[in-house]
Amino acid sequence: MSTSTSVFHLANRLDRVGFSDIVKIRNKIMELRAGGAQVFQFEGGEPFSNTPGHIKEAMREALAENKTRYAPSSGIAELRSAIADKLRKKNDVQASSDDVIILNGGMQGLFGAFQSVVNPGEEVLVFSPYWTPIRDLIAHCEGVPVLVPTDEARQNGFTSTLESQLSKQTRAIYFNTPQNPTGVVFTRAEAKEVAEFARNHDLIVIADEAYEDLIYEGEHFSIASLEGMFERTITCFTFSKSYSMTGWRLGYAVAAEPWMTGLKKTLLYSTNGVSTPTQWAGIAALTVQSTFLEESLEAYRKRRDLLLAGLNELGLKCSSPAGAFYAFPDVTMLSHDSREAADILLQRARVATVPGIVFGAHGEGHLRFSFSTSLETIESALESLRKNL
Ligand SMILES: Cc1ncc(COP(=O)(O)O)c(C=O)c1O
């Protein structure tokens, strides 16, 4: 049988979809480790603590009770109802169970949201630096990310900064708060300005609130809670960061029609729902009385303060992140090329970070440090930086 090599290519829609640079960094770390070096890891994006016991116990119970069959594709009614309740009380978003869909992590929500909104050739305004996969999620729709510098918007005003990037093709705004990688928490006034812009230009907002529980300064504010915004916003949440549940792959989105139909279709024909026992564990996360969120926040705050003081003392200027668990210092004193700066830290001090350029052009000159690690690791890494930089 003869085969032509020309058939062995991916469908075009995957052409511009990339892979994470972080994988390359992990490979370098593994190489160093294999050579016997101790590496202080700050490149990750995971909570440092384990999933709380009561959540794991709920999973065990669900298994013992044989809650192991297909659930409704959009999620079990009890979890959707608990989430709608949480959205009304905590986020001031007036959702009912019908507006909630259970998904495999924040990522599946974002995937479904972009797929539901963006047509080929349409543009999405993305505050930058931005979480890297957003570019790929937009590319998967054959859409175009248009970067809006967050610093400039905060200094010069959101309306004029967004307006300067607006075109006839603009379809949506990606609004992530607290932000990865900068830790910026948008204020209520800023959210109002973005919302007004979206309404005035008839844009859809894809909100990403993955770090809603990690707020050190200010408040978490959901843009969908503003008047006239519920119908034009798809908000994606996850259990990953709040409840140390990254590996469980549990998240949810809240949206009105027609977006909910889009989310349902993308879910149905990809994973056809989320693992049933995992959803029962999700109910425990939301409904069992626990001090886990408060205790975690204080633990993160300690780590943030320790790392921030150390970085600033070293001359790696860093403003204090108001949310999430990342510090994003200016490292131009080492190199203006953030890949080179990351390499210097890794080779000289065995400190692994992510080059800012990975998060878009506005991240250049910075490194992302996750402070979601032990206090001892932060102390030892700072000591190594002091000695070796
Ligand atoms: C900004 C942001 N949104 C969404 C997610 C998705 O998280 P997950 O798919 O683990 O729920 C992440 C994870 O790193 C993130 O940083």
Side-chain angles (χ1 to χ4, degrees):
M1 197 175 82
S2 75
T3 50
S4 141
T5 49
S6 65
V7 301
F8 295 105
H9 61 77
L10 283 173
N12 299 342
R13 84 179 68 82
L14 288 171
D15 275 354
R16 287 186 297 119
V17 178
F19 276 107
S20 162
D21 266 86
I22 298 180
V23 173
K24 290 182 207 155
I25 297 162
R26 289 219 179 102
N27 290 345
K28 270 194 201 167
I29 297 170
M30 281 191 277
E31 252 172 54
L32 283 170
R33 281 229 169 109
Q38 186 189 11
V39 180
F40 304 109
Q41 290 189 254
F42 291 84
E43 83 290 354
E46 293 214 46
F48 66 92
S49 61
N50 292 321
T51 306
H54 64 276
I55 299 176
K56 293 193 274 195
E57 188 50 41
M59 169 71 119
R60 275 192 286 271
E61 264 170 38
L63 291 173
E65 290 166 14
N66 291 310
K67 290 174 170 165
T68 54
R69 296 177 186 276
Y70 283 134
S73 179
S74 303
I76 55 177
E78 291 86 342
L79 180 56
R80 291 170 75 194
S81 159
I83 288 170
D85 210 38
K86 173 258 177 193
L87 288 166
R88 288 190 300 268
K89 287 187 185 135
K90 190 160 153 177
N91 304 93
D92 202 20
V93 173
Q94 298 311 309
S96 73
S97 296
D98 290 344
D99 306 313
V100 174
I101 184 166
I102 314 301
L103 298 151
N104 288 273
M107 185 68 98
Q108 196 177 30
L110 290 164
F111 179 80
F114 284 108
Q115 290 291 322
S116 301
V117 170
V118 181
N119 288 300
E122 286 182 340
E123 297 176 356
V124 182
L125 298 173
V126 177
F127 287 102
S128 174
Y130 58 91
W131 185 46
T132 320
I134 298 305
R135 175 176 285 279
D136 302 293
L137 290 170
I138 297 170
H140 206 308
C141 305
E142 298 178 68
V144 183
V146 174
L147 305 188
V148 179
T150 302
D151 281 351
E152 197 182 310
R154 299 196 103 186
Q155 272 158 31
N156 304 347
F158 279 70
T159 310
S160 60
T161 310
L162 285 165
E163 221 143 50
S164 68
Q165 302 301 328
L166 188 73
S167 84
K168 285 206 174 70
Q169 280 70 46
T170 311
R171 170 72 167 143
I173 304 173
Y174 168 68
F175 191 70
N176 172 216
T177 183
Q179 275 191 350
N180 179 2
T182 57
V184 162
V185 173
F186 286 128
T187 65
R188 188 180 287 246
E190 289 170 337
K192 278 187 179 164
E193 219 179 317
V194 173
E196 198 182 323
F197 185 84
R199 283 193 304 267
N200 287 345
H201 297 281
D202 220 4
L203 305 176
I204 305 308
V205 173
I206 296 174
D208 179 352
E209 303 184 11
Y211 297 91
E212 66 169 334
D213 289 307
L214 299 178
I215 305 276
Y216 315 104
E217 255 91 56
E219 57 168 352
H220 177 67
F221 183 75
S222 294
I223 194 165
S225 68
L226 290 168
E227 191 148 341
M229 287 309 291
F230 184 72
E231 54 268 40
R232 63 172 72 243
T233 306
I234 303 172
T235 311
C236 302
F237 293 93
T238 175
F239 286 71
S240 291
K241 317 290 174 171
S242 299
Y243 298 100
S244 299
M245 288 177 74
T246 41
W248 295 63
R249 312 307 308 132
L250 184 61
Y252 55 97
V254 54
E257 290 297 356
W259 322 120
M260 184 49 74
T261 294
L263 292 166
K264 283 181 178 169
K265 286 183 180 177
T266 52
L267 174 67
L268 180 59
Y269 298 115
S270 52
T271 59
N272 191 11
V274 173
S275 130
T276 305
T278 298
Q279 295 191 54
W280 285 99
I283 295 177
L286 293 179
T287 60
V288 172
Q289 275 279 349
S290 154
T291 52
F292 183 75
L293 291 181
E294 293 79 11
E295 282 168 15
S296 296
L297 184 64
E298 283 324 298
Y300 282 118
R301 189 192 296 280
K302 262 194 195 154
R303 286 155 175 76
R304 177 193 73 149
D305 294 347
L306 179 65
L307 180 64
L308 260 284
L311 291 177
N312 281 311
E313 191 191 298
L314 282 158
L316 301 176
K317 277 192 288 99
C318 191
S319 54
S320 193
F325 45 56
Y326 307 104
F328 203 59
D330 182 325
V331 291
T332 47
M333 66 172 260
L334 295 173
S335 171
H336 284 265
D337 174 345
S338 57
R339 288 185 196 280
E340 192 175 76
D343 228 40
I344 293 172
L345 258 62
L346 188 60
Q347 300 304 339
R348 289 197 204 153
R350 300 285 184 254
V351 171
T353 57
V354 185
I357 188 70
V358 165
F359 307 101
H362 301 101
E364 188 49 307
H366 293 76
L367 292 177
R368 191 190 75 174
F369 286 70
S370 161
F371 50 81
S372 180
T373 184
S374 67
L375 291 166
E376 295 72 39
T377 301
I378 299 174
E379 268 158 9
S380 308
L382 288 171
E383 194 48 39
S384 174
L385 288 170
R386 275 183 214 111
K387 276 197 205 133
N388 300 302
L389 266 198

